[in-house]
């Protein structure tokens, strides 16, 4: 496939690039904070392959205007971009060592953005240099790599509460769910605000990198408990997510549509990293070592930790409902997420042959 192809135009302080290209506004390695503009192809190599090689180029227009030196700043630039492309992070093929468990279950489809102004991605940032410090402030709209899962009944095919109840009583719940429900993967469009600050410490031959990103209304899959998605069949109640849309003329039973609940929350992500260059003659007499360490933090501001009832085989669908138990929290969920998370990375590298 064509990877990158673009044309540049420069006139004085004005720079324009149009075409298929990659654009990174972050300062981190391994995990992405502000570097969310281009989708990421995680189908090969995983974290063993650098982010630069896994980004998927997009058709975009990028503009840079340089103001030169302004006051105490030796350099000040204003940047912006606009994407008119429908590419999203490609799903990881089943069987890949980098894929998540993909158990058989409810069929589904992937919804991609359209090539129009409403689905366009874009934003801007300010980049400046003040002495040893390089900083940036950014805000933009993009699509996240992780899709939002939504369980629904087809619009033109509501379910009969009587048929649902009969299937549950007969132990055919799994067959009924597979035949009458769908899983839609929707790639969420979110706004991201944040900044970076990088500076060198010559005395220690090191560089300090920091980054902050605020994700506005990031969606999270809200696990539908057994007593919710099976509510109409178990209790006769129209539980959350269901809507009464009519009556079956043949049986007189209620006709229902279902749309699972997805919650949203603002999320704060930050990172602090240090890169140090050192000679360790005992291990490599000719080349220096790069020692890089980073700390990543994530905090979900509006976290829903409501306990979810156990999804068991007694309802006939335990073979594809895959709960994950958190030993530190009495809560079964399909994908366990902690409200606060800290991760540290360490990389030590050198070269013996060049």
């Amino acid at each position: 496939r064509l990877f990158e192809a673009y044309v540049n135009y420069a006139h004085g302080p004005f720079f324009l690039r149009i075409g298929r290209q990659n654009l990174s506004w972050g300062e981190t390695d391994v995990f992405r904070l502000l570097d969310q503009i281009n989708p990421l192809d995680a189908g090969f190599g995983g974290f063993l392959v650098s982010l630069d090689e896994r980004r998927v180029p997009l058709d975009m227009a990028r503009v840079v205007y340089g103001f030169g030196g302004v006051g105490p700043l030796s350099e000040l630039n204003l940047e912006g971009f606009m994407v008119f492309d429908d590419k999203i992070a490609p799903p990881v093929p089943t069987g890949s060592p980098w894929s998540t468990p993909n158990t058989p279950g409810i069929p589904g489809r992937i919804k991609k953005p359209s090539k129009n102004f409403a689905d366009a991605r874009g934003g801007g940032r300010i980049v400046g240099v003040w002495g040893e410090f390089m900083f940036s402030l950014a805000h933009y709209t993009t699509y996240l790599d992780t899709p939002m899962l939504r369980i629904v009944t087809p619009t033109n095919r509501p379910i009969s509460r009587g048929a649902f109840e009969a299937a549950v009583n007969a132990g055919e719940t799994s067959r009924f769910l597979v035949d009458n429900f769908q899983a839609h993967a929707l790639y969420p469009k979110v706004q991201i605000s944040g900044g970076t600050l990088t500076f060198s410490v010559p005395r220690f031959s090191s560089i300090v990198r920091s980054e902050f990103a605020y994700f506005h209304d990031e969606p999270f899959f809200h696990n539908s408990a057994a007593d919710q998605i099976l509510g109409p069949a178990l209790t006769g109640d129209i539980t959350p997510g269901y809507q009464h849309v009519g009556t079956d003329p043949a049986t007189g039973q209620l006709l229902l549509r279902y749309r699972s609940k997805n919650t949203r929350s603002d999320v704060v992500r930050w990172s602090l990293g240090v890169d140090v260059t050192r000679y360790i003659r005992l291990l490599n007499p000719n080349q220096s070592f790069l020692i890089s360490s980073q700390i990543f933090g994530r905090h979900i501001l509006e976290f829903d930790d409501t306990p979810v009832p156990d999804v068991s085989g007694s309802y006939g669908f335990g073979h594809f409902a895959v709960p994950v138990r958190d030993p530190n929290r009495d809560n079964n969920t399909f994908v366990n997420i902690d409200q606060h998370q800290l991760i540290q990375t360490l990389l030590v590298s050198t070269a013996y042959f060049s």
Side-chain angles (χ1 to χ4, degrees):
R1 69 183 181 185
L2 180 64
F3 192 69
E4 286 189 337
Y6 49 79
V7 294
N8 294 336
Y9 172 78
H11 181 73
F14 178 80
F15 173 83
L16 172 65
R17 173 176 291 177
I18 299 178
R20 181 168 297 181
Q21 53 189 297
N22 281 308
L23 181 60
S24 173
W25 282 357
E27 294 288 340
T28 61
D29 300 320
V30 183
F31 299 105
R32 306 202 297 172
L33 277 69
L34 284 178
D35 178 19
Q36 300 281 346
I37 298 174
N38 290 84
L40 205 64
D41 187 350
F44 65 98
F47 63 87
L48 299 178
V49 179
S50 69
L51 294 175
D52 293 335
E53 297 184 47
R54 289 187 286 147
R55 292 190 191 93
V56 178
L58 297 174
D59 297 331
M60 73 171 75
R62 177 191 175 198
V63 176
V64 181
Y65 189 88
F67 295 94
V70 178
L73 303 178
S74 59
E75 185 177 346
L76 182 65
N77 295 330
L78 178 63
E79 302 182 18
F81 77 95
M82 181 66 71
V83 175
F84 293 98
D85 204 328
D86 62 352
K87 294 186 185 68
I88 52 177
V92 180
T94 302
S96 167
W98 311 107
S99 66
T100 56
N102 186 19
T103 55
I106 298 174
R109 65 182 180 88
I110 297 175
K111 183 179 179 182
K112 299 174 59 177
S114 302
K115 290 185 177 181
N116 55 34
F117 186 79
D119 287 351
R121 289 162 262 198
R125 74 167 179 169
I126 297 175
V127 183
V129 178
W130 180 29
E132 297 289 337
F133 298 88
M134 181 176 180
F135 67 90
S136 70
L137 296 173
H139 178 83
Y140 62 90
T141 302
T142 190
Y143 291 92
L144 299 181
D145 290 339
T146 303
M148 175 180 65
L149 183 65
R150 176 168 287 156
I151 308 299
V152 301
T153 52
T155 304
N156 59 350
R157 202 176 73 223
I159 63 172
S160 167
R161 187 179 69 175
F164 197 1
E165 183 178 355
V168 171
N169 292 335
E172 296 293 331
T173 309
S174 60
R175 185 73 268 163
F176 188 88
L177 293 177
V178 169
D179 291 342
N180 294 277
F181 288 76
Q182 294 179 351
H184 292 175
L186 313 173
Y187 284 80
K189 186 178 183 180
V190 300
Q191 298 185 57
I192 301 176
S193 306
T196 65
L197 178 64
T198 302
F199 58 93
S200 63
V201 184
R203 180 180 178 183
F204 298 102
S205 303
S206 61
I207 296 177
V208 178
R209 298 175 286 115
S210 62
E211 191 169 339
F212 171 86
Y214 191 96
F215 289 64
H216 302 261
D217 284 337
E218 181 177 341
F220 294 91
F221 175 68
H222 189 90
N223 182 20
S224 296
D227 63 346
Q228 178 176 311
I229 196 170
L230 300 181
L234 296 177
T235 66
D237 298 328
I238 300 179
T239 46
Y242 281 98
Q243 180 184 7
H244 176 209
V245 295
T247 304
D248 188 341
T251 64
Q253 293 288 340
L254 295 182
L255 295 178
L256 306 174
R257 287 185 185 145
Y258 182 74
R259 189 170 184 262
S260 64
K261 177 184 177 183
N262 290 91
T263 58
R264 287 181 176 267
S265 172
D266 292 351
V267 181
V268 173
R269 291 178 170 88
W270 58 269
S271 174
L272 179 64
V274 178
D275 302 326
V276 180
T277 303
R278 282 287 185 272
Y279 277 97
I280 307 178
R281 301 293 187 183
L282 180 63
L283 300 178
N284 190 337
N286 300 317
Q287 300 288 340
S288 62
F289 281 78
L290 173 63
I291 305 172
S292 178
S293 180
Q294 300 174 108
I295 299 178
F296 296 88
R298 185 192 67 186
H299 310 280
I300 304 173
L301 301 186
E302 300 173 21
F303 189 70
D304 184 2
D305 197 23
T306 305
V308 177
D310 187 23
V311 179
S312 63
S314 60
Y315 294 131
F317 65 102
H319 65 285
F320 70 81
V322 187
V324 178
R325 178 176 293 277
D326 181 357
N328 301 313
R329 194 167 65 233
D330 186 17
N331 189 358
N332 284 349
T333 57
F334 283 103
V335 178
N336 181 63
I337 297 177
D338 292 315
Q339 181 177 11
H340 305 289
Q341 183 183 69
L342 288 176
I343 297 177
Q344 183 175 9
T345 65
L346 175 64
L347 171 67
V348 180
S349 63
T350 187
Y352 290 93
F353 302 97
S354 60

